[in-house]
């Protein structure tokens, strides 16, 4: 498959089941909501060492939030509900509770899944002065803090989600690869229900399973390192490729991840091969590890026919 | 599944005890033969009411007439829908646990006391001791939503622990005394000693602001987030139950707040949200 000179591999991205929740963080204005959301989703690129993968999903207008203030929707993914609960407590406790004027709410309907603590444990920061308020069947905690009150919904539901959807952008040079990746990320940000957890949505250190060192479970994806063309036993690159960047997508549903991958691929093929990204590939482990397979050509084909 | 339509045939001489008359209790029974007490005389529901069946998916009961001598209507009801056209006696909907109750008329004393859940709308007034606790009980209302289009008597919502109460009219003395928690919004005026020995919970005065007693302290901290959550919900419930005008624009107001009753180490709050 070749569109506008961009080759689409006959390949698929292999993704894994994760547990996720959406939080709504509001504040006096969008700037402070963003400070809290950026901090709370910081150091959350990969579950390998961060405990969770997280990002800002989108901005919320005042009429979309429970308290009528501007806010941000944040998605947080983890490998288990237990780890997710731990990460939520730490991140909301250290990054949202601490941020001036913020409040935090569950961003999914209560019936969506099993509830984990949101404000339920953070309330003890109130040292006995915390107050609970039941409003429309939902419990909120009001914790006195130095700027007034920190309001947090008691729990947030955990849903099954999909982590590790990806696109590999093979380009003729660094500038071309960055420009292509930036365009793709911008298009994908418009897709609801997904985040791209790496810096700027982009990762350069794609990995393969295993390593020659027993202590490491993952190591550099040598088949896609342009510096190893002709050196590594196997390369998936042609000599004209000088830079490869990957976009990793975590989504609430399989359809969300597929929609994001489609948006990203469309953005790349619309720019054409002349812009420098000449091929789109995807990362997988032979299809045996992850239950979700996102076939590039099938996803893009569905978009064209739709 | 069927519903029933009852119409009072004649005014009882003594009090009529209708504690067994709820939509769920009647839906699979012969309504004519339900035993009821008339004073201390046993009688049957059919002795007092014209009964007709109506088809309904869920338990349904509609009662019409001057029911002011009929006590304990809807007591302990936990499902279905009860509609009353006319004023009722005492203990109306006491211990209501679920379902919907609509009263087009007034109720006597002790209405909906010890309510546990469900929705009660009253297009009329409630008498004294409405929404209170049973004798000896530690808690009054522990759940549910109550919307009163008219006014309430004295000692309303005594010892209330959870739930939402909206009053479009006025309240008598000792509104929300010994309040444990829950939300009360009052659009009209209130009598003396509101929030007497209030422990926690919120009272929103959207009409004329009463002077908080000396055992309440004014709190000027910014608590606009909690106010928005609370006021929007009050507006939503008011709108859904036909008293939107009484609480219109509530969330846009900037209320003053007082916390007490410090006489009992209370942390309850008053939102004084009179429109300017």
């Amino acid at each position: 498959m070749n569109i506008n000179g961009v080759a689409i591999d006959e390949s698929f991205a292999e993704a894994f089941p994760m547990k996720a929740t959406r939080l709504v963080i509001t504040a006096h204005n969008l700037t402070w909501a963003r400070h809290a959301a950026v901090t709370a989703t910081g150091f959350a690129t990969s579950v390998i060492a961060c405990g969770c993968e997280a990002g800002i999903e989108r901005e919320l207008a005042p009429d979309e939030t429970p308290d009528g203030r501007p806010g941000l929707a944040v998605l947080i993914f983890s490998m288990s509900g237990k780890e997710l609960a731990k990460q939520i407590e730490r991140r909301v406790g250290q990054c949202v509770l601490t941020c001036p004027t913020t409040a935090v709410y569950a961003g999914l309907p209560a019936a969506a899944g099993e509830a984990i603590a949101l404000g339920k444990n953070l309330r003890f920061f109130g040292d006995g002065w915390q107050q609970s308020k039941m409003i429309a069947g939902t419990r909120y905690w009001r914790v006195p803090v130095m700027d007034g009150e920190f309001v947090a919904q008691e729990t947030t539901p955990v849903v099954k989600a999909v982590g590790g959807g990806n696109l590999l952008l093979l380009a003729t040079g660094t500038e071309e690869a960055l420009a292509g990746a930036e365009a793709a990320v911008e298009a994908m940000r418009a897709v609801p229900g997904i985040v791209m957890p790496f810096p700027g949505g982009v990762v350069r250190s794609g990995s393969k399973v295993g390593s020659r060192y027993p202590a490491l479970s993952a190591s550099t994806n040598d088949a896609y390192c342009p510096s190893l063309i002709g050196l590594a036993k196997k390369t998936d690159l042609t000599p004209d490729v000088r830079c490869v960047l990957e976009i990793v997508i975590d989504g609430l549903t399989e359809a969300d991840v597929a929609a994001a991958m489609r948006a990203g691929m469309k953005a790349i093929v619309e720019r054409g091969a002349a812009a420098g990204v000449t091929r789109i590939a995807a990362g997988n482990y032979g299809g045996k590890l992850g239950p979700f397979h996102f076939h590039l050509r099938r996803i893009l084909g569905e978009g064209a026919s739709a | 599944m069927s519903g029933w339509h009852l119409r009072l045939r004649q005014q009882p001489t003594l009090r009529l005890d209708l504690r067994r008359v709820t939509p769920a209790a009647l839906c699979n029974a012969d309504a004519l033969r339900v035993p009821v007490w008339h004073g201390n005389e046993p009688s049957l529901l059919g002795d007092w009411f014209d009964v007709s069946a109506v088809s309904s998916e869920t338990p349904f009961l509609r009662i019409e007439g001057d029911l002011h001598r009929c006590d304990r209507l809807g007591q302990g009801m936990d499902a279905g829908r009860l509609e009353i056209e006319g004023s009722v006696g005492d203990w109306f909907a006491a211990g209501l646990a679920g379902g919907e109750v609509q009263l087009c008329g007034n109720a006597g004393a002790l209405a909906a006391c010890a309510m546990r859940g469900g929705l009660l709308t009253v297009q009329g007034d409630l008498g004294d001791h409405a929404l209170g606790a049973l004798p000896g009980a530690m808690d009054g209302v522990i759940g549910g939503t109550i919307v009163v289009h008219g006014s309430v008597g004295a000692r309303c919502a005594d010892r209330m622990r959870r739930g939402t109460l909206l009053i479009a009219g006025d309240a008598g003395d000792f509104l929300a005394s010994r309040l444990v928690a829950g939300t009360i919004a009052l659009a009209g005026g209130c009598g003396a000693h509101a929030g007497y020995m209030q422990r926690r919970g919120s009272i929103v005065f959207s009409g004329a602001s009463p002077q908080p007693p000396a055992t309440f302290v004014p709190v000027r901290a910014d608590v606009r987030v909690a106010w928005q959550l609370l006021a929007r919900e009050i507006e939503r419930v008011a709108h859904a139950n036909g008293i939107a005008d009484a609480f219109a624009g509530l969330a846009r107001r900037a209320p003053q707040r007082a916390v007490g009753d410090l006489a009992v180490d209370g942390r309850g709050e008053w939102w004084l949200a009179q429109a300017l």
Side-chain angles (χ1 to χ4, degrees):
Chain A
M1 194 184 223
N2 191 304
I3 306 172
N4 291 344
V6 180
I8 313 288
D9 277 15
E10 173 63 69
S11 180
F12 62 90
E14 188 171 351
F16 299 87
M18 295 183 90
K19 293 291 175 67
T21 192
R22 178 191 279 134
L23 301 181
V24 170
I25 298 170
T26 67
H28 190 66
N29 56 37
L30 196 58
T31 304
W32 286 102
R34 193 175 292 285
H35 284 317
V38 166
T39 317
T41 59
F43 184 57
T45 55
S46 166
V47 288
I48 293 172
C50 303
C52 70
E53 299 178 7
I56 293 169
E57 184 190 12
R58 69 184 184 100
E59 287 180 13
L60 299 171
D63 59 4
E64 293 177 283
T65 62
D67 57 24
R69 303 189 301 170
L72 292 159
V74 163
L75 296 178
I76 305 180
F77 298 78
S78 205
M79 295 311 280
S80 71
K82 200 176 167 187
E83 179 65 26
L84 187 63
K86 190 170 117 190
Q87 291 292 331
I88 297 268
E89 188 170 314
R90 288 183 173 179
R91 287 168 182 271
V92 175
Q94 300 302 310
C95 308
V96 183
L97 163 67
T98 55
C99 181
T101 74
T102 57
V104 63
Y105 310 97
L108 293 167
E114 191 191 340
I116 57 169
L118 183 57
K120 193 177 185 175
N121 299 327
L122 299 176
R123 74 176 196 255
F124 294 111
F125 183 72
D127 198 25
W129 298 100
Q130 70 272 19
Q131 279 189 309
S132 130
K133 192 75 207 161
M134 288 287 283
I135 297 172
T138 303
R139 188 181 297 282
Y140 298 88
W141 285 99
R142 301 165 61 186
V143 181
V145 283
M146 297 194 309
D147 74 347
E149 241 176 19
F150 170 60
V151 175
Q153 196 168 330
E154 177 167 71
T155 59
T156 182
V158 175
V159 294
K160 287 181 182 167
V162 179
N166 63 77
L167 294 173
L168 289 166
L169 309 180
L170 285 62
T172 52
T174 304
E175 287 80 5
E176 292 83 354
L178 283 175
E182 285 167 16
V185 165
E186 196 186 331
M188 293 160 82
R189 286 227 166 99
V191 177
I194 62 119
V195 294
M196 292 163 281
F198 282 95
V202 184
V203 49
R204 68 163 174 189
S205 58
S207 59
K208 66 174 183 291
V209 176
S211 149
R212 71 170 66 190
Y213 307 106
L216 283 182
S217 58
S219 59
T220 193
N221 194 356
D222 39 31
Y224 283 91
C225 291
S227 53
L228 300 179
I229 296 174
L231 299 173
K233 268 185 190 165
K234 176 178 175 287
T235 185
D236 286 333
L237 306 179
T238 47
D240 58 305
V241 175
R242 295 186 60 227
C243 181
V244 179
L245 293 177
E246 181 176 356
I247 299 173
V248 172
I249 307 119
D250 295 336
L252 291 179
T253 67
E254 203 175 344
D256 292 337
V257 174
M261 287 175 63
R262 183 182 307 130
M265 283 192 283
K266 273 190 170 171
I268 296 294
V269 299
E270 272 166 21
R271 299 171 85 245
V277 178
T278 53
R279 198 179 128 201
I280 302 174
N284 64 61
Y285 313 96
K288 286 176 187 158
L289 287 178
F292 303 106
H293 297 168
F294 297 96
H295 292 268
L296 298 181
R297 292 182 181 179
R298 214 176 291 165
I299 286 173
L300 199 57
E302 280 168 15
S305 62
Chain B
M1 191 68 73
S2 67
W4 295 97
H5 195 145
L6 308 183
R7 186 189 295 272
L8 188 65
R9 205 182 297 138
Q10 68 203 64
Q11 193 59 241
T13 324
L14 305 170
R15 307 296 290 189
L16 202 56
D17 186 338
L18 297 182
R19 70 179 71 192
R20 289 180 183 164
V21 180
T22 66
L26 260 55
C27 80
N28 290 317
D30 180 359
L32 286 167
R33 307 203 56 80
V34 172
V36 296
W37 286 91
H38 174 235
N40 60 359
E41 303 163 3
S43 66
L44 299 175
L45 195 57
D47 298 339
W48 300 100
F49 289 89
D50 289 328
V51 177
S52 55
V54 289
S55 72
S56 169
E57 296 279 306
T58 52
F60 174 81
L61 178 60
R62 181 177 169 83
I63 308 179
E64 291 174 12
D66 179 4
L67 305 162
H68 76 273
R69 285 186 186 152
C70 299
D71 297 333
R72 298 183 187 271
L73 251 171
Q75 176 171 315
M77 168 174 161
D78 59 3
R81 181 172 170 82
L82 173 62
E83 290 178 5
I84 309 238
E85 190 73 43
S87 292
V88 296
D90 302 336
W91 297 95
F92 173 67
L96 178 66
E100 289 179 21
V101 178
Q102 186 178 20
L103 171 64
C104 297
N106 304 327
L110 293 154
C113 62
M115 178 169 164
R116 286 149 61 199
L119 170 65
L120 169 63
T121 52
V122 179
Q123 284 164 14
D125 302 333
L126 297 180
D128 293 343
H129 297 282
L131 304 152
L134 293 173
M138 291 297 289
D139 300 321
V141 173
I142 59 169
T145 302
I146 307 104
V147 178
V148 182
H149 292 223
S151 297
V152 297
R155 287 277 179 189
C156 181
D158 183 39
R159 287 189 187 269
M160 177 172 171
R161 185 176 199 95
R162 199 176 300 128
T164 305
L165 165 61
L166 270 56
I167 305 164
D170 301 327
D173 295 342
F174 288 99
L175 170 69
S177 54
R178 303 185 286 186
L179 186 71
V180 181
T183 302
I184 296 170
L186 177 69
C190 82
H193 305 300
Y196 177 74
M197 291 173 71
Q198 181 178 352
R199 301 300 304 269
R200 294 187 299 277
S202 312
I203 312 178
V204 175
F205 296 95
S206 82
S209 293
Q211 177 67 36
T215 50
F216 279 67
V217 288
V219 175
R220 296 190 178 83
D222 184 348
V223 288
R224 280 178 284 179
V225 174
W227 172 245
Q228 284 306 311
L229 296 175
L230 193 64
R232 285 162 173 238
E233 173 63 7
I234 290 169
E235 281 193 52
R236 192 191 65 76
V237 173
H239 186 264
N241 292 287
I243 53 168
D245 288 350
F247 296 98
L250 189 64
R252 288 197 300 276
R253 298 182 198 166
Q256 296 186 319
R257 187 164 164 266
V259 172
D261 183 341
L262 296 182
V264 289
D265 194 24
R267 315 262 168 75
E269 58 184 354
W270 284 19
W271 299 91
L272 304 171
Q274 183 174 8
L276 299 174

